[in-house]
Amino acid sequence: MDNAVRRAVEITPAASTRQRIVDITTTGRRSGLPRRIEIFFYHVAGRTYLCSGTVDRPSWYVNLVAEPALTFHLKHGVRADLRATARPVTDELERRAVLTEIVADLNQPANPGHLAQPVDLEGWVRDSRLVEVTFLD
């Protein structure tokens, strides 16, 4: 992975909302067709994650459980299509550690992506879908 792409993926809490948005392409679990969506990504402890918030069973998550291969499309500033795989994070201790960092980032007032309502950690630990992304390139 070249340095510009690496910097775009290794965002910090100071990253703008725009820098946190990517597209991902998954494979439809029933159709087998490519499905592309826009989503926020997070960088915690040197790893990259996608998270649903508290949306129940988002299609992208169900697709990645069925077929973990995806394309991670950087589209703001640096443009790149990165081959990757996804691993659902289901262990509660691991989820809590990762989501604690994500929620703290989302709840900081200086965060350009700050939400109007504080994000509830317990709700996210209980209800969110979380995957770790591993880049193959």
Side-chain angles (χ1 to χ4, degrees):
M1 185 180 300
D2 83 16
N3 286 335
V5 169
R6 184 173 311 285
R7 281 191 306 275
V9 170
E10 293 176 353
I11 60 171
T12 69
S16 71
T17 299
R18 188 172 171 88
Q19 291 170 305
R20 298 164 185 265
I21 298 172
V22 295
D23 287 351
I24 61 169
T25 300
T26 62
T27 301
R29 68 192 172 284
R30 288 190 292 241
S31 70
L33 298 173
R35 300 290 185 215
R36 187 169 177 152
I37 62 143
E38 185 174 77
I39 190 168
F40 282 89
F41 76 100
Y42 306 92
H43 193 71
V44 175
R47 296 188 171 130
T48 301
Y49 295 91
L50 303 172
C51 183
S52 69
T54 56
V55 174
D56 187 38
R57 294 185 51 83
S59 296
W60 65 265
Y61 179 82
V62 180
N63 289 346
L64 288 173
V65 168
E67 172 51 61
L70 72 140
T71 304
F72 190 94
H73 306 279
L74 293 172
K75 61 184 189 172
H76 297 293
V78 174
R79 294 191 179 271
D81 298 321
L82 306 173
R83 292 181 323 113
T85 60
R87 176 186 65 86
V89 179
T90 57
D91 176 78
E92 186 173 348
L93 290 176
E94 182 182 8
R95 288 174 57 75
R96 182 170 296 280
V98 172
L99 290 168
T100 296
E101 295 297 320
I102 290 172
V103 167
D105 187 8
L106 291 172
N107 283 337
Q108 66 171 323
N111 181 348
H114 179 70
L115 303 175
Q117 299 293 322
V119 175
D120 172 46
L121 175 61
E122 295 309 316
W124 278 44
V125 169
R126 182 184 61 246
D127 298 329
S128 70
R129 304 301 182 261
L130 178 68
V131 299
E132 179 185 355
V133 175
T134 301
F135 297 103
L136 302 176
D137 297 324

